Amino acid sequence: MKHAVLCHQCRRSEAETYIPYSRQRLCVPCFNAFFENRIRKTVEKHRMFKADDIVGVAVSGGKDSASLIHALRNIYPELRLRALHVNLGIEGYSDHCAKKAEAMSEATDAEFLVYDLKGEDGVSVDLFTNTMYRRKTCSPCGLIKRRLFDVLARRSGVRVLATAHNIDDVVSIYLSGFFSGEFTYIARMKPVHPPLTENMSTKVKPLFKTPEAEAAYYAALNGLPASDVKCPYSKGNVEFKYKRMIGFMEQNDPGFKFGVLSLFMKKLLPLIKEEERSIRSCITCGLPSTNEVCGYCKRMDLLKKLSLQDRR
Ligand code: SF4
Ligand code: ZN
């Protein structure tokens, strides 16, 4: 007969999960506490926000952001949360994500704000499939999303915007930046990124030290509404290659991701100076840009032209 293994924390309940890098077996309530404690410590260590601030959370409809907003609500009941969502108009994907994001905002008592690309600009990210971005749709899509989250943050009066980047995202971005020589890309991937100009929000990453698998497990344990549908363009995302690689390394050497994170943060980041870029206002949208016309406006212009061609 197999004996139940007791939780290493409470020593009372049956353990339901194993955390390989810390060799802990945890029951459900102790896993939830472990997961939320690490977020609280990350928020407090990096002074991301105060317990009663107004905080925007970028909710995609997926597991990571569902876990983030749910955990924030549990840890900080006084926090005035805004769930910000960008509907990219991707066929068979975006509307499904929008429904989950809205359900998550209701569950956490967060005001829901959406930027609907089709409704507001008459375009969708799908149109990039007919351009040179065909196999790399994530690149312009990511840029558009980041800008639209800034727009939503301003619309809702949010000064702090929390994104659900987890340790797998951060380490894969570090490695991808390192191997492509884009060191300034690495420098920008910090737990707290201050605004470039006054009218932008501070970006914070409370899941900076949370493994993706734990965020998914937390979402499942707590029955959070989160989409399982994969974006049809996700295969073109270069960071996925690094995610697979670090997943393999982690399996063979538990704690590998934490090691890389600490190495980059303590040793490499201090050596990289963020590129001095002269920031000016984009002549089209007025938002901060390093060029006369910002990258967002250029991509949106392309989408609008493609949309017109489509209608002819
Ligand atoms: Fe956009 Fe790529 Fe994410 Fe799809 S996977 S939503 S294309 S960034
Ligand atoms: Zn612009």
Side-chain angles (χ1 to χ4, degrees), residues 23 28 40 67 79 104 109 122 132 134 136 144 183 209 217 222 232 269 284 290 298 302-303:
R23 295 185 182 182
V28 171
R40 187 177 45 72
S67 294
L79 208 57
M104 217 39 245
D109 197 20
M132 61 178 185
R134 197 159 45 107
K136 293 185 175 162
I144 288 172
F183 298 129
K209 288 191 151 187
Y217 187 59
N222 293 286
L269 256 74
T284 311
T290 47
K298 283 182 193 156
L302 174 64
L303 287 184

Side-chain angles (χ1 to χ4, degrees), residues 75-93:
I75 306 165
Y76 303 108
E78 303 299 318
L79 208 57
R80 286 164 289 166
L81 286 168
R82 309 278 185 268
L84 312 181
H85 179 74
V86 175
N87 186 324
L88 300 156
I90 298 173
E91 190 79 36
Y93 173 71

Side-chain angles (χ1 to χ4, degrees), residues 147 282 284-286 293-294 296-297:
R147 175 51 60 92
C282 164
T284 311
C285 69
V293 177
C294 72
Y296 166 77
C297 284

Side-chain angles (χ1 to χ4, degrees), residues 24-35:
Q24 284 189 94
R25 293 192 186 278
L26 299 174
C27 66
V28 171
C30 287
F31 173 79
N32 277 338
F34 164 80
F35 184 87

Side-chain angles (χ1 to χ4, degrees), residues 123-134:
V123 297
S124 94
V125 161
D126 285 329
L127 291 165
F128 281 125
T129 48
N130 304 323
T131 70
M132 61 178 185
Y133 295 114
R134 197 159 45 107

